[in-house]
Amino acid sequence: MIIFFLLLPAILMFIVSFVKTDKIANLLPFVSFTIIIPNIMLFKLPYPYHLMGNYLIVDKLGDYVFLVSSVVSIGVSLALMTLHKHVNIKKRAYNRFYRFFALFWLGLILSTLSNNMGIYWVGLEFATLSTVYMIKINYTSTAHKEAWNYMIVDTIAISIILFGIILIYASAKPLLGDNAMNFNALLAHIKEIKMPFLFEIGFAITTVGMFIKLGMFPMNLWLADIERASFYPVPALFSGILESAVMIGFFRFSKIVMQIDFTQLFGFVFIYSFLTIFIVAFLIYRAKDFIRLFSFSGIEHMALIALFWVSGGTFAALLHFGAHAFLKPSLFLSTGVLESKGKYHMAGALRGYKGIKGKIFWFIVGLFLLAIVSVPPSPMFFSEIYGFGAMINMAKHTHHMLAMIAAIAFLLILLSIIFYRFTAIYQSMKYGGTQEEKKVYSSEIIALIILAVSLALLLLPQSMEYLRSIS
Amino acid sequence: MDNFLIGLFLATLIISIFTARLYRLIFWYFVNSLMLGLLAVFIGIKVHDNALIVSGAITLVLKALIIPYVLKYLSKKFHLQRQITPNIKVHYSVILIPAILVFTFFIAEPISHMLQANPNDISISISSLFLTLILMMEHNHVAPKIIGFLTLDNALFLLGITATNGMPMLVELGVFFDILMAIVIINLLFKDTGVKA
């Protein structure tokens, strides 16, 4: 029954997308609201709750990520209502976009709630392939080229993930049999595995695949290129849902590896994340359009989440994760309006709004721009404080306290470069350039308000308590 | 018999790297998939694993029959360029391929010791992964890159068979379903532009 309600919104969206009548097709954005039903049902279940035998699991972590992804899906589908007013898109392509959005959603629901490495991979691959066509909906030669690029880069990344999963499975199969694919079984029996070395190799390879998918160094340019070439809802979906699904995989895999070799895990992820933030900080400094700016910023945040998670700052990582999942899609969705006078018109982008809708728009987008660089009371401000605190706490138990303080200081310098760039852009958007009239539509405002309220709800004591209980 | 089939799997992959014609590459993909399917069926019979026999049978139908047919159909329909000269020259490939093989035998040694499987099979599976990446890299055209990606999937399936005697059935079916989805997407990508890749 729950499975039916879980998959219903995506299946309904898929079916309705074939309808050619405008009146019924207009229902498409509202279909996504039905995802609220399974969300309510899942929160009422006792944790952990198994679905489809042992293949899917509803635990606190999965439920949180699923809720965040559902809110983003609702926001994106609402903003999609006015896509044709900002970009040149045909009705047929519009319906196709929804069709592949539905398939993408199906894949990600499977991945997010998966308790099986194989099912997780299948869902992720399915979602990845669906997004290829969503990029292609923009009928330009650049989008066409980038859709192929995405297909090739991502299939390599996803194949690397599968390679790692096979090694992990091979290491645990003698002990667990077919259950060696099961995240919970692996977590319970990891210390009994006779080949932890093989398990670690598998984990390292899987992580590299996931980090390629997240656009981390050295594969840090493809994501921005692809997001730039697509229509703006695609990067919103990438940053809010696809990256969340990849991240939950990283959380689940690393939770197991932490049991056998914490030091190597930390060293590996720390170096990877550190290098990524180092490179991305300068790329953000040089970014000349909104989509690239937000895309690189997304990579930076993914690196921070991974770093906080492996440092033992589970709460910080999850808070940062939730805040990023609400903020970044909102910013990507707002680019439809911000770039309505040309993609390089950053100066004055927050000027020229009239009426209540316009005022709400510039106010929310202004707040989001500052919130993404952790200006308090953004949840990111708190998550970074708790995250860096967790790193210091971890260093207390080692002989590397000074090195950790130096590393954090260096990270803060890099983050301040990003902060400087964002605040400079905000000032030029608000006070620079010329005042040109821009049109904002109700559905966009509603989408932004939903995401802003969700972001604010993260700061409630109850939400914080829930996130703490996950760790 | 399994050594013979794995040997032929590797041989077809090496030939693919030297191939400069699209239809010939599709043919070698067909032979590669055929060897893989037969190997899965053969190992399935040997270890009495019905799931592996079913996976092998699906591989034979899907990867050795349907996908090569669809690929050839698409290449005709969209007039894909059939001359696909590799960027890596033959005399470099002659050095590179044995180097990859020796290198993977060397790096796979510690892994092979841990598994009960034949060490040579594991090494060949891992070297196949590297060789498919070469196949994807050495071409500028989209069509051989697609075949490279499909062969990469074959190499992973081979690793799954040799290292673990096959993955759970539901996962295997999911992987097959994803490949079908990939073919649909590839068709749509060609169709909606008519771009000559």
Side-chain angles (χ1 to χ4, degrees):
Chain A
M1 187 68 175
I2 294 172
I3 280 285
F4 170 76
F5 280 110
L6 269 173
L7 305 180
L8 182 69
I11 294 171
L12 270 179
M13 193 183 270
F14 184 75
I15 295 167
V16 177
S17 71
F18 283 96
V19 178
K20 285 175 184 165
T21 324
D22 281 2
K23 280 182 184 171
I24 300 176
N26 286 341
L27 281 176
L28 275 164
F30 300 101
V31 172
S32 62
F33 279 89
T34 49
I35 198 73
I36 293 169
I37 302 166
N39 265 294
I40 295 169
M41 288 166 91
L42 293 187
F43 268 97
K44 285 184 175 173
L45 293 173
Y47 295 122
Y49 185 84
H50 294 272
L51 294 165
M52 281 171 65
N54 209 9
Y55 287 111
L56 301 184
I57 189 168
V58 183
D59 55 3
K60 282 195 167 181
L61 177 63
D63 213 356
Y64 171 60
V65 177
F66 180 63
L67 176 68
V68 168
S69 307
S70 304
V71 174
V72 176
S73 304
I74 292 171
V76 173
S77 57
L78 273 175
L80 270 171
M81 286 176 81
T82 48
L83 177 66
H84 61 283
K85 291 182 176 160
H86 296 296
V87 298
N88 186 17
I89 182 169
K90 288 177 187 166
K91 185 72 195 161
R92 195 169 134 257
Y94 205 48
N95 277 19
R96 274 195 180 171
F97 189 93
Y98 272 107
R99 200 169 303 155
F100 283 91
F101 179 14
L103 294 175
F104 168 79
W105 209 1
L106 272 179
L108 290 181
I109 289 171
L110 277 183
S111 278
T112 308
L113 297 177
S114 168
N115 188 27
N116 181 295
M117 292 187 295
I119 302 290
Y120 170 77
W121 183 88
V122 169
L124 204 60
E125 164 81 329
F126 193 68
T128 301
L129 290 169
S130 316
T131 36
V132 172
Y133 196 74
M134 283 155 79
I135 298 166
K136 182 67 201 66
I137 293 290
N138 186 0
Y139 286 96
T140 59
S141 58
T142 319
H144 177 75
K145 182 176 153 278
E146 292 303 337
W148 278 116
N149 271 351
Y150 180 67
M151 176 106 188
I152 288 157
V153 173
D154 252 37
T155 44
I156 291 175
I158 211 106
S159 303
I160 291 172
I161 296 176
L162 184 60
F163 181 32
I165 287 176
I166 292 172
L167 293 184
I168 292 175
Y169 181 60
S171 73
K173 197 179 180 185
L175 179 74
L176 299 170
D178 274 2
N179 271 341
M181 277 273 172
N182 191 302
F183 284 119
N184 277 359
L186 280 169
L187 189 62
H189 298 280
I190 186 69
K191 286 185 178 160
E192 298 158 38
I193 287 175
K194 288 176 186 163
M195 294 177 278
F197 170 67
L198 190 58
F199 190 95
E200 283 177 64
I201 292 178
F203 170 76
I205 293 171
T206 306
T207 308
V208 169
M210 285 180 186
F211 284 178
I212 292 175
K213 265 195 87 65
L214 292 173
M216 283 164 79
F217 177 80
M219 303 289 285
N220 53 315
L221 291 174
W222 69 271
L223 187 62
D225 287 343
I226 282 158
E227 291 184 340
R228 180 66 270 174
S230 357
F231 286 143
Y232 60 86
V234 177
L237 287 173
F238 271 38
S239 60
I241 312 182
L242 187 63
E243 288 178 3
S244 303
V246 178
M247 217 57 204
I248 194 177
F250 173 73
F251 290 162
R252 291 201 192 278
F253 281 106
S254 56
K255 220 171 160 183
I256 303 167
V257 175
M258 272 178 199
Q259 306 285 325
I260 46 173
D261 197 342
F262 178 76
T263 320
Q264 279 192 22
L265 167 74
F266 179 77
F268 175 65
V269 176
F270 182 82
I271 292 168
Y272 218 127
S273 306
F274 198 87
L275 281 173
T276 302
I277 296 171
F278 179 77
I279 299 291
V280 162
F282 295 103
L283 289 172
I284 288 176
Y285 190 78
R286 287 168 54 90
K288 289 182 177 60
D289 64 277
F290 287 115
I291 298 268
R292 279 180 199 279
L293 179 78
F294 299 149
S295 180
F296 290 132
S297 160
I299 298 171
E300 169 231 331
H301 287 293
M302 287 297 131
L304 278 176
I305 294 167
L307 191 56
F308 294 160
W309 179 265
V310 296
S311 306
T314 316
F315 167 71
L318 291 172
L319 185 61
H320 205 90
F321 169 88
H324 177 263
F326 293 135
L327 278 170
K328 203 48 67 63
S330 319
L331 288 171
F332 275 122
L333 292 177
S334 65
T335 54
V337 180
L338 293 175
E339 292 191 341
S340 54
K341 299 292 171 192
K343 63 182 177 183
Y344 297 116
H345 279 221
M346 276 180 155
L350 276 185
R351 297 171 70 190
Y353 299 99
K354 286 180 182 165
I356 295 171
K357 279 188 276 187
K359 281 176 186 164
I360 295 173
F361 178 84
W362 81 252
F363 181 70
I364 294 181
V365 173
L367 281 182
F368 281 167
L369 270 169
L370 297 175
I372 203 77
V373 281
S374 313
V375 173
S378 163
M380 284 190 168
F381 171 73
F382 299 105
S383 62
E384 284 182 12
I385 286 183
Y386 280 107
F388 290 127
M391 288 167 76
I392 294 283
N393 269 339
M394 199 203 66
K396 274 183 193 168
H397 307 291
T398 65
H399 303 292
H400 307 298
M401 189 61 163
L402 273 178
M404 182 59 87
I405 290 172
I408 291 175
F410 194 64
L411 272 176
L412 288 174
I413 292 170
L414 294 173
L415 293 183
S416 61
I417 294 172
I418 298 168
F419 182 86
Y420 167 76
R421 180 64 180 150
F422 266 85
T423 44
I425 286 173
Y426 172 76
Q427 290 194 350
S428 109
M429 284 165 77
K430 190 70 195 104
Y431 306 110
T434 51
Q435 186 158 326
E436 291 171 292
E437 195 175 336
K438 298 173 192 84
K439 184 100 177 135
V440 185
Y441 298 93
S442 303
S443 64
E444 290 158 0
I445 292 293
I446 297 168
L448 290 183
I449 289 175
I450 288 175
L451 291 163
V453 170
S454 310
L455 183 71
L457 288 176
L458 275 179
L459 289 171
L460 285 179
Q462 289 88 341
S463 313
M464 298 256 186
E465 202 177 310
Y466 183 85
L467 293 184
R468 275 185 211 284
S469 68
I470 294 175
S471 52
Chain B
M1 186 67 178
D2 49 348
N3 285 339
F4 174 73
L5 291 171
I6 289 182
L8 279 180
F9 179 91
L10 183 65
T12 49
L13 196 50
I14 293 170
I15 298 168
S16 303
I17 292 174
F18 291 105
T19 306
R21 302 289 300 172
L22 183 60
Y23 287 180
R24 191 59 43 170
L25 191 60
I26 295 173
F27 172 76
W28 289 122
Y29 172 71
F30 152 72
V31 182
N32 188 272
S33 306
L34 186 70
M35 294 306 128
L36 183 68
L38 289 175
L39 182 72
V41 173
F42 186 77
I43 293 178
I45 293 169
K46 205 162 86 175
V47 298
H48 307 292
D49 185 348
N50 289 336
L52 195 53
I53 298 172
V54 173
S55 290
I58 297 175
T59 304
L60 287 174
V61 175
L62 183 69
K63 293 182 180 173
L65 292 175
I66 297 175
I67 293 181
Y69 174 77
V70 171
L71 285 177
K72 194 159 181 182
Y73 171 76
L74 290 179
S75 56
K76 274 184 184 168
K77 188 178 169 189
F78 298 110
H79 309 291
L80 301 186
Q81 191 174 326
R82 287 163 64 180
Q83 180 67 37
I84 44 160
T85 314
N87 287 333
I88 301 173
K89 288 181 179 146
V90 175
H91 47 276
Y92 292 130
S93 294
V94 167
I95 300 165
L96 189 64
I97 292 166
I100 287 173
L101 287 171
V102 172
F103 174 68
T104 44
F105 268 82
F106 177 70
I107 61 161
E109 203 191 351
I111 300 174
S112 310
H113 282 306
M114 291 177 199
L115 299 168
Q116 290 155 353
N118 185 343
N120 290 346
D121 296 356
I122 305 284
S123 308
I124 289 176
S125 311
I126 296 174
S127 59
S128 303
L129 285 173
F130 286 109
L131 292 176
T132 48
L133 289 175
I134 296 274
L135 181 61
M136 286 175 90
M137 283 191 299
E138 70 171 0
H139 291 284
N140 288 336
H141 303 280
V142 169
K145 280 186 193 291
I146 293 167
I147 295 171
F149 140 65
L150 293 167
T151 320
L152 181 63
D153 191 72
N154 279 0
L156 285 168
F157 189 64
L158 179 70
L159 182 68
I161 296 171
T162 53
T164 68
N165 277 340
M167 289 188 286
M169 192 63 200
L170 191 69
V171 178
E172 297 279 18
L173 289 176
V175 174
F176 287 130
F177 184 68
D178 279 346
I179 293 169
L180 279 177
M181 173 83 175
I183 294 295
V184 171
I185 298 286
I186 287 164
N187 179 31
L188 283 172
L189 283 181
F190 279 131
K191 191 179 162 187
D192 279 0
T193 47
V195 171
K196 290 181 176 56

